[in-house]
Amino acid sequence: MFLSKKSFLRIICAIDCIVGADFMMAQNSIQVKNTQDFERNEIVSIPVSRLTSFLKENRESDLRIKNTQNQYIPIQWIDYEGDGKNDELLFQTNIAAKKTNSYTIVADAKTPLPETKLTTYSRLVPERADDYTWENDKIAFRVYGPKGQAEALAKVKGSTLSSGVDIWLKRTDQPVINKWYKGYLTDPMFYHKDTRGEGYDPYHVGDSRGTGGVGIWKDEQLQVSRNFITSKTIAEGPLRTVFELTYAPWSEFGVKETKRISLDLGSNFSKFESTFESEKSVPNYTVGITLHKNEGESKLNDKNGYYLHWEKIDDAFVGEGIVIDPKIVQKSVAFKSETPDQSNLLVVTEPKNKLTYYAGFAWQKSGQIQTQNDWEKMLQKQVQIVANPLIITIK
């Protein structure tokens, strides 16, 4: 039996309509609302539980997100528990003040996921003792592990005994971790010199808190842990890197600590979530920033929950800061000591089993800030971002 051209076209049209209807059924609308009076460039996190209707009919691997320009945008799935099941879907939004952005979830297995030009990244670094280092397009950090601790106790030159948080000053939006450590293998001073226009590491941590280390403040003394003992990478990137560190029991109170750290693309602040168990009742948990040789300026704002340090390192200024829920703050102090590495800006908080805070920085040579006022405005904005999350509606 032969079909006429007219009949054939009708069948093709009907098939197109059916396919189109199925395609339309596999869509959800996402509304992202910014309630604040400033532009926000952030990572949107959607729990998988809010995608149930879509995932009943479609595979996770087929999910794509389109913006209003009908362009696919990068996404990232995260399995926080390591059980093989994704817990969260991420994508980036840039949203004007007091505006709402619209996105569409579609099932499209044929279109490759778009790649990001920028990324977040983290990993354990066995080639230099066992640092754990993380970065995004703005900043980079590192902390120190058990091999570094063993070497420090054995008086090995260049090793570090500290649970303080080191910062690396970047002035490129490209990754530097692998490049800098590769250079370190042939030149131990490789990333301590700013000779490539990418930045460097001039920041001294020692036994201080660096930028965001934790302790217990008692009798004008800070009790702290040693280096982390285990690490676990949860997500490398591209939109968010996440990892966990554990610490051996520390302080006279026998505190066991698990610290989950995450860093989003485009942010100057790492999110720290410390979970504690203790053998004895603890008076507080304290977050700090090193004051180095007490030559910088500090600003403590218990009312709004942000803490600022501004100092000159070599030939440029660096702003370090902490943002925390002001409701849990007992007090704060810029503690100065004649003992090396014991001068710290300290934020003393109520002894809850879980402590969440943000710690970060900006370097003058990165072009992100130029003055102390610029840095304070960035901290104030971070306070508003934390207190007023983007409102996500899925239809």
Side-chain angles (χ1 to χ4, degrees):
M1 179 179 177
F2 294 95
L3 295 175
S4 67
K5 183 177 181 181
K6 189 173 183 180
S7 297
F8 180 76
L9 291 174
R10 283 175 178 170
I11 292 172
I12 294 299
C13 182
I15 292 172
D16 285 345
C17 289
I18 292 170
V19 172
D22 286 345
F23 181 75
M24 291 301 292
M25 287 174 65
Q27 295 191 57
N28 285 97
S29 171
I30 306 174
Q31 307 294 314
V32 182
K33 184 178 181 180
N34 176 14
T35 61
Q36 300 304 293
D37 59 1
F38 55 86
E39 181 183 19
R40 296 170 71 166
N41 184 19
E42 294 177 34
I43 302 304
V44 174
S45 303
I46 301 178
V48 169
S49 59
R50 297 190 65 183
L51 300 170
T52 304
S53 61
F54 181 88
L55 295 176
K56 279 182 180 178
E57 305 294 333
N58 304 280
R59 295 179 301 178
E60 285 182 359
S61 59
D62 295 343
L63 186 148
R64 305 288 185 271
I65 296 181
K66 285 185 175 182
N67 59 22
T68 52
Q69 287 78 45
N70 210 36
Q71 300 168 324
Y72 287 110
I73 62 175
I75 62 173
Q76 179 184 348
W77 295 95
I78 297 188
D79 172 11
Y80 285 104
E81 308 308 320
D83 58 4
K85 298 178 181 178
N86 288 321
D87 300 299
E88 210 164 47
L89 173 67
L90 311 179
F91 66 92
Q92 190 170 31
T93 186
N94 192 297
I95 183 167
K98 301 287 187 179
K99 296 294 183 181
T100 299
N101 283 1
S102 296
Y103 300 89
T104 305
I105 305 177
V106 299
D108 185 356
K110 295 181 179 179
T111 302
L113 286 168
E115 296 182 357
T116 56
K117 295 180 180 179
L118 307 175
T119 190
T120 65
Y121 182 64
S122 73
R123 72 175 177 95
L124 184 70
V125 185
E127 59 263 44
R128 201 213 81 94
D130 45 10
D131 300 344
Y132 198 101
T133 312
W134 67 106
E135 68 178 321
N136 65 3
D137 53 324
K138 304 287 186 182
I139 52 179
F141 301 80
R142 72 170 166 177
V143 286
Y144 307 99
K147 184 178 178 182
Q149 175 176 309
E151 290 181 352
L153 294 174
K155 307 298 182 182
V156 175
K157 186 179 179 180
S159 56
T160 303
L161 181 63
S162 177
S163 57
V165 180
D166 190 21
I167 62 175
W168 280 7
L169 308 183
K170 286 178 63 171
R171 49 173 167 162
T172 174
D173 60 9
Q174 296 302 301
V176 300
I177 287 173
N178 290 336
K179 182 187 293 187
W180 288 10
Y181 277 116
K182 183 179 180 181
Y184 164 83
L185 294 176
T186 54
D187 176 9
M189 292 301 294
F190 184 84
Y191 54 76
H192 292 289
K193 301 174 290 186
D194 185 13
T195 57
R196 297 165 302 281
E198 298 173 332
Y200 69 132
D201 174 25
Y203 193 79
H204 174 74
V205 176
D207 195 33
S208 77
R209 294 302 78 208
T211 297
V214 166
I216 295 172
W217 185 240
K218 182 186 176 188
D219 300 330
E220 302 291 287
Q221 296 268 332
L222 192 64
Q223 301 182 30
V224 300
S225 68
R226 290 183 169 182
N227 301 26
F228 69 82
I229 58 171
T230 69
S231 66
K232 178 175 70 173
T233 302
I234 296 172
E236 291 183 0
L239 303 178
R240 174 177 295 165
T241 187
V242 187
F243 59 97
E244 280 189 352
L245 308 172
T246 64
Y247 294 83
W250 55 276
S251 82
E252 66 182 84
F253 306 97
V255 174
K256 293 182 180 179
E257 179 185 0
T258 299
K259 190 188 299 289
R260 178 175 287 187
I261 302 173
S262 58
L263 177 62
D264 285 359
L265 190 69
S267 178
N268 282 75
F269 297 89
S270 286
K271 182 178 183 180
F272 293 76
E273 299 172 278
S274 285
T275 303
F276 303 102
E277 296 178 12
S278 63
E279 296 175 358
K280 301 177 183 178
S281 180
V282 175
N284 60 70
Y285 289 112
T286 296
V287 186
I289 298 173
T290 180
L291 300 179
H292 286 129
K293 296 181 180 179
N294 302 311
E295 296 171 348
E297 297 182 42
S298 300
K299 190 167 185 178
L300 288 63
N301 192 317
D302 292 340
K303 179 180 178 182
N304 295 308
Y306 72 86
Y307 303 87
L308 173 156
H309 186 235
W310 181 256
E311 62 178 325
K312 193 172 187 179
I313 297 180
D314 293 336
D315 60 348
F317 283 92
V318 180
E320 305 105 348
I322 293 167
V323 170
I324 197 165
D325 182 354
K327 295 177 183 177
I328 67 170
V329 175
Q330 293 181 348
K331 64 178 181 178
S332 60
V333 59
F335 180 77
K336 297 182 179 180
S337 171
E338 296 297 322
T339 304
D341 301 331
Q342 295 308 301
S343 292
N344 290 282
L345 185 161
L346 300 172
V347 185
V348 184
T349 74
E350 297 174 359
K352 304 291 186 181
N353 290 336
K354 185 173 182 180
L355 173 63
T356 300
Y357 60 95
Y358 296 79
F361 65 96
W363 183 34
Q364 202 174 43
K365 284 190 176 181
S366 72
Q368 299 169 52
I369 60 165
Q370 288 302 315
T371 66
Q372 180 178 329
N373 187 52
D374 292 340
W375 176 232
E376 183 165 7
K377 286 180 178 178
M378 193 176 285
L379 283 164
Q380 291 169 339
K381 185 179 289 187
Q382 182 67 16
V383 168
Q384 294 303 312
I385 287 171
V386 174
N388 301 279
L390 295 169
I391 298 173
I392 312 301
T393 305
I394 301 176
K395 298 179 181 179

